Amino acid sequence: MRERIDYVEREISEIVISDMQGAETFRIKYLGSKGVLKSLYQEFKAVPNEEKKEIGQRLNDLKQRLENVLASVQSNEPEKHSKYLVDFTRPGRSTPLGSIHPLTIVRNEIVSIFSTIGFSVSEGPEIEDDWHNFSALNFPPDHPARDMQDTFFVDSSIDGLSLRTHTSSVQVRVMETQKPPIRTISPGRVYRNEAISARAHCFFHQIEGLYIDKNVSFADLKQTLDYFAKSLFGESAKIRLRPSYFPFTEPSAEVDVSCSLCQGDGCNVCKHTGWLEILGCGMVDPNVLDACGIDSKEYNGFAFGMGVERIAQLKYRVNDLRLYSENDLRFLTQFHF
Ligand code: DAH
C-alpha cells in the first residue's frame, strides 16, 4: 500500500497540466468516482489496525494534495499558482558521493610525499617466487620467515611459489631491470599466515622504498625519513633510529616517530614511551645488490619498508585491523580527504 501511495505521489509530481481539458482528465483519473484515490481508500479497509493511523494520514495528505493541485489550476491565476505540479522550491535530491578507503588515502599521501623528492612508483606481483621474496634478499635457506607458519605457499608442487610476505620483493625486480640511480617506492598488498584478530591480519599493505646511487650515506637515509615524518605527521614530528636486524640491510634500524597525540609526553597510544614505531630500514646489503646485478663496489643505497595500516592507525586512531577489510559503510563513510 505504501508503495502505491509513493508511486502516485511520484506520478503527480511529474504531471504538467496545461489547460482545462488537462485539469478535467486529471480530476477523473485521480479524484473521480472510479479514480485512483477511491481505489486506494478501498484498499485501505484491509490495512491492519496498527498501520491504519500512519497510512490513513498519508492517504488524507494525498487527497489534500490532489485537491490543491486541481484548485490551483482551476482558479486560473497563473502568477499565483504555477500550472506545473512540480514544487520548484523543494530541495533537490543529491547524489551521494562515495568516500575513499582510509588505506588508499594514506597510501596516496605517502606516494605524494616521496614523489615530491623524485621517487617513482613501482609495483610487482602478489604471487612471488622464492628468489624475489627471499633468496635475492639474502635470506638464508633456513630462515624462519620462509616457514610454512608465516608464508602462504600457492602450490606445494611448484617449488617456493608463494603470496609475497613483504613488498621488499619489488626492490629486487626494480634492481634487476633498472640501472642506478634508482629512487622508487613500491606500495602493495602482502600476505602472512596469521590468525585474524584486532592486531594481526592475514593480509595487509606495505610501502617499500629504495634509493641506489654512488656514495649514498646513512645520513641520506636519516634525512629522507626525517623529511617523510615531518611531511606526514607535521613539522614538530621527530624521529629516532634503533639498531635492528633485517637480512637485506646492513646496518639495519627500526624507526620511531614522536607520538603526535601527546607530543612525546607519554600516553596510552604510545604506551607512555612518547614514541611510536613506524618502519624498518637500513643500507642495502652488498649481497642483495650483487644478487640483483648491481655492482656493490660501485653503488650502494638504502631501503625502508612501512605498514600502511600502522600509519593509518596512528592518523585515524583505528585500533582494530579488521575494520579495514570488512566493508562496513558506517566505518568507510567517515573518511573524506
Ligand atoms: N620487509 C620488512 C618487513 O616486512 C620491512 C623492511 C625493513 C623493508 C627494512 C626494508 C627495510 O626495505 O630496509 O618487515
Side-chain angles (χ1 to χ4, degrees), residues 127-179:
I127 299 178
E128 255 317 354
D129 50 38
D130 180 274
W131 171 255
H132 291 95
N133 199 67
F134 296 123
S135 297
L137 289 164
N138 203 30
F139 279 83
D142 54 355
H143 194 282
R146 296 176 181 234
D147 204 299
M148 296 292 279
Q149 309 282 307
D150 291 315
T151 307
F152 285 119
F153 288 94
V154 171
D155 182 345
S156 51
S157 65
I158 308 171
D159 192 28
L161 210 56
S162 67
L163 296 179
R164 67 179 175 196
T165 57
H166 52 180
T167 44
S168 303
S169 57
V170 188
Q171 276 191 32
V172 178
R173 290 187 173 272
V174 170
M175 286 192 275
E176 282 174 339
T177 52
Q178 294 176 27
K179 291 206 178 331

Short mmCIF file of all heavy atoms in Angstrom, two decimals, residues 127-179:
data_model
loop_
_atom_site.label_atom_id
_atom_site.label_comp_id
_atom_site.label_asym_id
_atom_site.label_seq_id
_atom_site.Cartn_x
_atom_site.Cartn_y
_atom_site.Cartn_z
N ILE A 127 51.86 -12.79 -6.28
CA ILE A 127 52.37 -14.17 -6.21
C ILE A 127 53.84 -14.11 -6.63
O ILE A 127 54.15 -13.64 -7.72
CB ILE A 127 51.58 -15.11 -7.14
CG1 ILE A 127 50.12 -15.16 -6.72
CG2 ILE A 127 52.19 -16.51 -7.14
CD1 ILE A 127 49.25 -16.02 -7.61
N GLU A 128 54.70 -14.52 -5.73
CA GLU A 128 56.15 -14.37 -5.96
C GLU A 128 56.86 -15.71 -5.92
O GLU A 128 56.38 -16.66 -5.30
CB GLU A 128 56.73 -13.48 -4.85
CG GLU A 128 57.07 -12.06 -5.20
CD GLU A 128 57.78 -11.83 -6.51
OE1 GLU A 128 58.16 -12.79 -7.22
OE2 GLU A 128 57.95 -10.65 -6.86
N ASP A 129 58.03 -15.73 -6.52
CA ASP A 129 58.86 -16.94 -6.38
C ASP A 129 59.83 -16.73 -5.21
O ASP A 129 59.99 -15.62 -4.69
CB ASP A 129 59.58 -17.26 -7.69
CG ASP A 129 60.30 -16.05 -8.24
OD1 ASP A 129 60.86 -15.28 -7.44
OD2 ASP A 129 60.29 -15.86 -9.47
N ASP A 130 60.46 -17.82 -4.84
CA ASP A 130 61.36 -17.80 -3.69
C ASP A 130 62.51 -16.80 -3.89
O ASP A 130 62.93 -16.11 -2.96
CB ASP A 130 61.91 -19.22 -3.48
CG ASP A 130 62.85 -19.28 -2.30
OD1 ASP A 130 64.06 -19.01 -2.49
OD2 ASP A 130 62.37 -19.56 -1.20
N TRP A 131 62.98 -16.69 -5.12
CA TRP A 131 64.11 -15.81 -5.40
C TRP A 131 63.79 -14.35 -5.04
O TRP A 131 64.52 -13.71 -4.31
CB TRP A 131 64.49 -15.92 -6.90
CG TRP A 131 65.49 -14.91 -7.34
CD1 TRP A 131 65.25 -13.79 -8.09
CD2 TRP A 131 66.90 -14.90 -7.05
NE1 TRP A 131 66.40 -13.08 -8.30
CE2 TRP A 131 67.44 -13.75 -7.67
CE3 TRP A 131 67.76 -15.75 -6.33
CZ2 TRP A 131 68.79 -13.42 -7.60
CZ3 TRP A 131 69.11 -15.41 -6.27
CH2 TRP A 131 69.61 -14.27 -6.89
N HIS A 132 62.66 -13.84 -5.55
CA HIS A 132 62.35 -12.42 -5.33
C HIS A 132 61.89 -12.13 -3.91
O HIS A 132 62.14 -11.05 -3.38
CB HIS A 132 61.29 -11.95 -6.33
CG HIS A 132 61.79 -11.90 -7.73
ND1 HIS A 132 61.60 -12.93 -8.61
CD2 HIS A 132 62.51 -10.97 -8.38
CE1 HIS A 132 62.18 -12.62 -9.76
NE2 HIS A 132 62.75 -11.43 -9.65
N ASN A 133 61.21 -13.09 -3.30
CA ASN A 133 60.69 -12.82 -1.95
C ASN A 133 61.75 -13.07 -0.87
O ASN A 133 61.75 -12.41 0.17
CB ASN A 133 59.46 -13.68 -1.67
CG ASN A 133 58.62 -13.14 -0.53
OD1 ASN A 133 58.01 -12.07 -0.64
ND2 ASN A 133 58.60 -13.85 0.59
N PHE A 134 62.65 -14.04 -1.13
CA PHE A 134 63.61 -14.43 -0.08
C PHE A 134 65.08 -14.45 -0.53
O PHE A 134 65.90 -13.70 -0.01
CB PHE A 134 63.26 -15.81 0.48
CG PHE A 134 61.93 -15.87 1.19
CD1 PHE A 134 60.94 -16.76 0.79
CD2 PHE A 134 61.67 -15.06 2.29
CE1 PHE A 134 59.73 -16.84 1.44
CE2 PHE A 134 60.45 -15.13 2.96
CZ PHE A 134 59.48 -16.02 2.53
N SER A 135 65.40 -15.33 -1.50
CA SER A 135 66.82 -15.62 -1.76
C SER A 135 67.61 -14.39 -2.17
O SER A 135 68.69 -14.14 -1.63
CB SER A 135 66.95 -16.69 -2.84
OG SER A 135 66.38 -17.88 -2.37
N ALA A 136 67.09 -13.61 -3.12
CA ALA A 136 67.83 -12.43 -3.59
C ALA A 136 67.96 -11.40 -2.47
O ALA A 136 68.85 -10.55 -2.50
CB ALA A 136 67.13 -11.82 -4.79
N LEU A 137 67.09 -11.51 -1.46
CA LEU A 137 67.13 -10.55 -0.35
C LEU A 137 68.00 -11.07 0.81
O LEU A 137 67.89 -10.59 1.94
CB LEU A 137 65.71 -10.23 0.14
CG LEU A 137 64.88 -9.38 -0.83
CD1 LEU A 137 63.39 -9.44 -0.49
CD2 LEU A 137 65.36 -7.92 -0.81
N ASN A 138 68.82 -12.07 0.49
CA ASN A 138 69.82 -12.53 1.45
C ASN A 138 69.24 -13.30 2.64
O ASN A 138 69.84 -13.31 3.72
CB ASN A 138 70.61 -11.29 1.94
CG ASN A 138 71.98 -11.64 2.47
OD1 ASN A 138 72.60 -12.61 2.02
ND2 ASN A 138 72.46 -10.87 3.45
N PHE A 139 68.04 -13.89 2.45
CA PHE A 139 67.51 -14.75 3.50
C PHE A 139 68.24 -16.09 3.42
O PHE A 139 68.21 -16.73 2.36
CB PHE A 139 66.01 -15.02 3.27
CG PHE A 139 65.09 -13.92 3.74
CD1 PHE A 139 64.85 -12.82 2.93
CD2 PHE A 139 64.45 -14.01 4.97
CE1 PHE A 139 64.00 -11.81 3.35
CE2 PHE A 139 63.58 -13.00 5.39
CZ PHE A 139 63.36 -11.90 4.58
N PRO A 140 68.86 -16.54 4.50
CA PRO A 140 69.49 -17.86 4.47
C PRO A 140 68.43 -18.93 4.20
O PRO A 140 67.25 -18.73 4.52
CB PRO A 140 70.07 -18.02 5.88
CG PRO A 140 70.03 -16.67 6.50
CD PRO A 140 68.99 -15.88 5.80
N PRO A 141 68.83 -20.07 3.61
CA PRO A 141 67.85 -21.10 3.24
C PRO A 141 66.99 -21.56 4.43
O PRO A 141 65.83 -21.93 4.24
CB PRO A 141 68.71 -22.26 2.74
CG PRO A 141 70.03 -21.65 2.41
CD PRO A 141 70.20 -20.43 3.24
N ASP A 142 67.53 -21.50 5.64
CA ASP A 142 66.76 -22.00 6.79
C ASP A 142 66.15 -20.86 7.62
O ASP A 142 65.81 -21.04 8.78
CB ASP A 142 67.67 -22.86 7.68
CG ASP A 142 68.94 -22.09 8.06
OD1 ASP A 142 69.12 -20.95 7.55
OD2 ASP A 142 69.74 -22.62 8.88
N HIS A 143 66.00 -19.68 7.01
CA HIS A 143 65.47 -18.54 7.77
C HIS A 143 64.00 -18.80 8.17
O HIS A 143 63.21 -19.28 7.35
CB HIS A 143 65.55 -17.28 6.92
CG HIS A 143 65.33 -16.01 7.71
ND1 HIS A 143 64.07 -15.61 8.10
CD2 HIS A 143 66.19 -15.09 8.19
CE1 HIS A 143 64.17 -14.48 8.79
NE2 HIS A 143 65.46 -14.14 8.85
N PRO A 144 63.63 -18.49 9.42
CA PRO A 144 62.26 -18.81 9.87
C PRO A 144 61.15 -18.13 9.06
O PRO A 144 60.03 -18.65 8.99
CB PRO A 144 62.23 -18.33 11.32
CG PRO A 144 63.53 -17.66 11.58
CD PRO A 144 64.48 -17.98 10.49
N ALA A 145 61.46 -16.99 8.42
CA ALA A 145 60.41 -16.29 7.66
C ALA A 145 59.94 -17.11 6.46
O ALA A 145 58.85 -16.89 5.94
CB ALA A 145 60.91 -14.94 7.18
N ARG A 146 60.75 -18.09 6.03
CA ARG A 146 60.31 -18.92 4.90
C ARG A 146 59.35 -20.00 5.35
O ARG A 146 58.79 -20.73 4.53
CB ARG A 146 61.53 -19.63 4.29
CG ARG A 146 62.53 -18.70 3.68
CD ARG A 146 63.70 -19.52 3.20
NE ARG A 146 64.73 -18.67 2.63
CZ ARG A 146 65.23 -18.84 1.42
NH1 ARG A 146 64.82 -19.82 0.66
NH2 ARG A 146 66.16 -18.04 0.98
N ASP A 147 59.20 -20.11 6.65
CA ASP A 147 58.45 -21.21 7.25
C ASP A 147 56.99 -21.24 6.79
O ASP A 147 56.38 -20.22 6.52
CB ASP A 147 58.47 -20.98 8.77
CG ASP A 147 58.26 -22.25 9.51
OD1 ASP A 147 57.18 -22.84 9.32
OD2 ASP A 147 59.16 -22.64 10.27
N MET A 148 56.43 -22.46 6.75
CA MET A 148 55.01 -22.62 6.44
C MET A 148 54.12 -21.81 7.38
O MET A 148 53.00 -21.45 7.06
CB MET A 148 54.60 -24.09 6.58
CG MET A 148 55.26 -25.03 5.62
SD MET A 148 54.71 -24.74 3.94
CE MET A 148 53.18 -25.63 3.93
N GLN A 149 54.64 -21.54 8.60
CA GLN A 149 53.84 -20.81 9.58
C GLN A 149 53.54 -19.39 9.10
O GLN A 149 52.51 -18.82 9.41
CB GLN A 149 54.61 -20.68 10.91
CG GLN A 149 55.15 -21.97 11.45
CD GLN A 149 54.06 -22.77 12.11
OE1 GLN A 149 53.37 -22.25 12.97
NE2 GLN A 149 53.88 -23.99 11.70
N ASP A 150 54.51 -18.79 8.41
CA ASP A 150 54.36 -17.39 8.03
C ASP A 150 53.89 -17.19 6.60
O ASP A 150 53.20 -16.22 6.31
CB ASP A 150 55.71 -16.66 8.13
CG ASP A 150 56.15 -16.50 9.56
OD1 ASP A 150 55.30 -16.12 10.37
OD2 ASP A 150 57.32 -16.77 9.84
N THR A 151 54.30 -18.10 5.74
CA THR A 151 54.12 -17.86 4.31
C THR A 151 52.98 -18.71 3.77
O THR A 151 52.85 -19.87 4.11
CB THR A 151 55.43 -18.23 3.57
OG1 THR A 151 56.49 -17.53 4.20
CG2 THR A 151 55.37 -17.85 2.11
N PHE A 152 52.17 -18.10 2.92
CA PHE A 152 51.15 -18.86 2.19
C PHE A 152 51.77 -19.39 0.91
O PHE A 152 52.04 -18.62 -0.01
CB PHE A 152 49.98 -17.96 1.80
CG PHE A 152 49.05 -17.60 2.92
CD1 PHE A 152 48.87 -16.27 3.30
CD2 PHE A 152 48.32 -18.59 3.58
CE1 PHE A 152 47.99 -15.93 4.32
CE2 PHE A 152 47.44 -18.25 4.60
CZ PHE A 152 47.28 -16.93 4.97
N PHE A 153 52.03 -20.68 0.86
CA PHE A 153 52.55 -21.24 -0.39
C PHE A 153 51.38 -21.50 -1.33
O PHE A 153 50.31 -21.94 -0.91
CB PHE A 153 53.35 -22.51 -0.10
CG PHE A 153 54.66 -22.18 0.57
CD1 PHE A 153 54.78 -22.19 1.95
CD2 PHE A 153 55.74 -21.79 -0.20
CE1 PHE A 153 55.96 -21.84 2.55
CE2 PHE A 153 56.94 -21.43 0.40
CZ PHE A 153 57.05 -21.46 1.78
N VAL A 154 51.59 -21.20 -2.59
CA VAL A 154 50.48 -21.25 -3.55
C VAL A 154 50.18 -22.68 -3.95
O VAL A 154 49.04 -23.12 -3.98
CB VAL A 154 50.81 -20.39 -4.78
CG1 VAL A 154 49.78 -20.60 -5.89
CG2 VAL A 154 50.85 -18.92 -4.39
N ASP A 155 51.23 -23.42 -4.27
CA ASP A 155 51.03 -24.78 -4.75
C ASP A 155 52.27 -25.56 -4.35
O ASP A 155 53.36 -25.25 -4.83
CB ASP A 155 50.85 -24.74 -6.28
CG ASP A 155 50.58 -26.13 -6.83
OD1 ASP A 155 50.82 -27.12 -6.11
OD2 ASP A 155 50.12 -26.21 -7.98
N SER A 156 52.08 -26.55 -3.49
CA SER A 156 53.26 -27.22 -2.96
C SER A 156 54.05 -27.94 -4.05
O SER A 156 55.22 -28.23 -3.89
CB SER A 156 52.86 -28.20 -1.86
OG SER A 156 51.83 -29.02 -2.35
N SER A 157 53.40 -28.18 -5.21
CA SER A 157 54.13 -28.86 -6.27
C SER A 157 55.04 -27.88 -7.04
O SER A 157 55.92 -28.28 -7.75
CB SER A 157 53.16 -29.54 -7.23
OG SER A 157 52.40 -28.55 -7.88
N ILE A 158 54.77 -26.56 -6.88
CA ILE A 158 55.65 -25.59 -7.55
C ILE A 158 56.56 -25.01 -6.49
O ILE A 158 56.12 -24.29 -5.60
CB ILE A 158 54.85 -24.48 -8.24
CG1 ILE A 158 53.78 -25.09 -9.14
CG2 ILE A 158 55.76 -23.56 -9.05
CD1 ILE A 158 52.79 -24.08 -9.69
N ASP A 159 57.83 -25.32 -6.60
CA ASP A 159 58.77 -25.02 -5.54
C ASP A 159 58.83 -23.53 -5.20
O ASP A 159 59.18 -22.70 -6.04
CB ASP A 159 60.16 -25.52 -5.99
CG ASP A 159 61.10 -25.51 -4.80
OD1 ASP A 159 60.60 -25.65 -3.67
OD2 ASP A 159 62.31 -25.32 -5.02
N GLY A 160 58.46 -23.19 -3.97
CA GLY A 160 58.68 -21.85 -3.46
C GLY A 160 57.74 -20.77 -3.95
O GLY A 160 57.89 -19.61 -3.57
N LEU A 161 56.75 -21.11 -4.77
CA LEU A 161 55.82 -20.07 -5.22
C LEU A 161 54.87 -19.74 -4.07
O LEU A 161 54.21 -20.61 -3.53
CB LEU A 161 55.04 -20.60 -6.43
CG LEU A 161 54.59 -19.54 -7.45
CD1 LEU A 161 55.76 -18.74 -7.98
CD2 LEU A 161 53.83 -20.20 -8.57
N SER A 162 54.83 -18.45 -3.70
CA SER A 162 54.02 -18.09 -2.53
C SER A 162 53.41 -16.70 -2.73
O SER A 162 53.78 -15.97 -3.65
CB SER A 162 54.90 -18.07 -1.28
OG SER A 162 55.85 -17.03 -1.38
N LEU A 163 52.48 -16.35 -1.83
CA LEU A 163 52.00 -14.97 -1.79
C LEU A 163 53.10 -14.15 -1.12
O LEU A 163 53.64 -14.57 -0.09
CB LEU A 163 50.70 -14.88 -0.98
CG LEU A 163 49.52 -15.64 -1.56
CD1 LEU A 163 48.30 -15.51 -0.66
CD2 LEU A 163 49.19 -15.12 -2.96
N ARG A 164 53.46 -13.02 -1.70
CA ARG A 164 54.61 -12.29 -1.14
C ARG A 164 54.35 -11.90 0.30
O ARG A 164 53.23 -11.53 0.66
CB ARG A 164 54.94 -11.07 -2.00
CG ARG A 164 53.87 -10.00 -1.98
CD ARG A 164 54.26 -8.80 -2.84
NE ARG A 164 53.17 -7.85 -2.90
CZ ARG A 164 53.08 -6.88 -3.79
NH1 ARG A 164 54.00 -6.71 -4.72
NH2 ARG A 164 52.06 -6.05 -3.76
N THR A 165 55.40 -11.99 1.11
CA THR A 165 55.25 -11.68 2.53
C THR A 165 55.65 -10.25 2.83
O THR A 165 55.44 -9.75 3.93
CB THR A 165 56.12 -12.62 3.39
OG1 THR A 165 57.47 -12.49 2.95
CG2 THR A 165 55.68 -14.07 3.24
N HIS A 166 56.25 -9.58 1.85
CA HIS A 166 56.60 -8.15 2.00
C HIS A 166 56.81 -7.55 0.62
O HIS A 166 57.00 -8.26 -0.37
CB HIS A 166 57.84 -7.97 2.88
CG HIS A 166 59.03 -8.77 2.47
ND1 HIS A 166 60.23 -8.74 3.13
CD2 HIS A 166 59.22 -9.62 1.42
CE1 HIS A 166 61.09 -9.54 2.52
NE2 HIS A 166 60.51 -10.09 1.50
N THR A 167 56.79 -6.21 0.57
CA THR A 167 56.99 -5.55 -0.73
C THR A 167 58.47 -5.40 -1.05
O THR A 167 58.83 -4.83 -2.09
CB THR A 167 56.28 -4.17 -0.77
OG1 THR A 167 56.54 -3.50 0.46
CG2 THR A 167 54.79 -4.32 -0.97
N SER A 168 59.35 -5.90 -0.18
CA SER A 168 60.79 -5.86 -0.50
C SER A 168 61.08 -6.64 -1.78
O SER A 168 62.08 -6.39 -2.45
CB SER A 168 61.61 -6.44 0.67
OG SER A 168 61.33 -5.73 1.84
N SER A 169 60.18 -7.58 -2.12
CA SER A 169 60.36 -8.34 -3.37
C SER A 169 60.40 -7.40 -4.58
O SER A 169 61.06 -7.70 -5.58
CB SER A 169 59.21 -9.33 -3.53
OG SER A 169 57.98 -8.65 -3.49
N VAL A 170 59.72 -6.27 -4.49
CA VAL A 170 59.69 -5.35 -5.63
C VAL A 170 61.05 -4.67 -5.82
O VAL A 170 61.47 -4.38 -6.95
CB VAL A 170 58.54 -4.31 -5.50
CG1 VAL A 170 58.40 -3.50 -6.78
CG2 VAL A 170 57.24 -4.98 -5.16
N GLN A 171 61.76 -4.43 -4.70
CA GLN A 171 63.16 -3.92 -4.78
C GLN A 171 63.95 -4.75 -5.76
O GLN A 171 64.67 -4.24 -6.61
CB GLN A 171 63.88 -4.17 -3.46
CG GLN A 171 63.72 -3.23 -2.37
CD GLN A 171 64.76 -3.57 -1.28
OE1 GLN A 171 65.86 -4.04 -1.56
NE2 GLN A 171 64.39 -3.30 -0.06
N VAL A 172 63.86 -6.08 -5.57
CA VAL A 172 64.66 -6.99 -6.38
C VAL A 172 64.30 -6.84 -7.85
O VAL A 172 65.16 -6.69 -8.72
CB VAL A 172 64.44 -8.46 -5.91
CG1 VAL A 172 65.23 -9.42 -6.78
CG2 VAL A 172 64.81 -8.60 -4.45
N ARG A 173 63.00 -6.81 -8.12
CA ARG A 173 62.55 -6.68 -9.51
C ARG A 173 63.03 -5.37 -10.13
O ARG A 173 63.41 -5.32 -11.29
CB ARG A 173 61.02 -6.78 -9.59
CG ARG A 173 60.56 -8.18 -9.27
CD ARG A 173 59.09 -8.39 -9.47
NE ARG A 173 58.80 -9.81 -9.29
CZ ARG A 173 58.86 -10.71 -10.26
NH1 ARG A 173 59.17 -10.35 -11.48
NH2 ARG A 173 58.63 -11.98 -10.00
N VAL A 174 62.99 -4.29 -9.35
CA VAL A 174 63.44 -2.99 -9.89
C VAL A 174 64.94 -3.03 -10.17
O VAL A 174 65.40 -2.64 -11.25
CB VAL A 174 63.10 -1.85 -8.89
CG1 VAL A 174 63.76 -0.55 -9.31
CG2 VAL A 174 61.60 -1.66 -8.79
N MET A 175 65.73 -3.57 -9.21
CA MET A 175 67.19 -3.58 -9.40
C MET A 175 67.60 -4.49 -10.55
O MET A 175 68.59 -4.23 -11.23
CB MET A 175 67.89 -3.99 -8.10
CG MET A 175 67.85 -2.87 -7.07
SD MET A 175 68.94 -3.16 -5.68
CE MET A 175 67.92 -4.16 -4.64
N GLU A 176 66.82 -5.55 -10.77
CA GLU A 176 67.15 -6.46 -11.87
C GLU A 176 66.92 -5.81 -13.24
O GLU A 176 67.49 -6.22 -14.23
CB GLU A 176 66.29 -7.73 -11.79
CG GLU A 176 66.79 -8.72 -10.75
CD GLU A 176 65.84 -9.90 -10.58
OE1 GLU A 176 64.64 -9.80 -10.95
OE2 GLU A 176 66.29 -10.93 -10.07
N THR A 177 66.03 -4.83 -13.27
CA THR A 177 65.64 -4.30 -14.59
C THR A 177 66.06 -2.84 -14.81
O THR A 177 65.93 -2.34 -15.92
CB THR A 177 64.10 -4.37 -14.77
OG1 THR A 177 63.50 -3.75 -13.63
CG2 THR A 177 63.62 -5.81 -14.86
N GLN A 178 66.50 -2.16 -13.75
CA GLN A 178 66.86 -0.74 -13.94
C GLN A 178 68.30 -0.48 -13.52
O GLN A 178 68.82 -1.17 -12.65
CB GLN A 178 65.94 0.17 -13.12
CG GLN A 178 64.50 0.14 -13.58
CD GLN A 178 63.59 0.98 -12.70
OE1 GLN A 178 64.02 1.93 -12.06
NE2 GLN A 178 62.32 0.61 -12.64
N LYS A 179 68.88 0.53 -14.12
CA LYS A 179 70.25 0.90 -13.74
C LYS A 179 70.20 2.07 -12.76
O LYS A 179 69.33 2.93 -12.87
CB LYS A 179 71.01 1.35 -14.99
CG LYS A 179 71.29 0.22 -15.98
CD LYS A 179 72.52 0.56 -16.80
CE LYS A 179 72.90 -0.54 -17.77
NZ LYS A 179 72.54 -1.89 -17.39
#
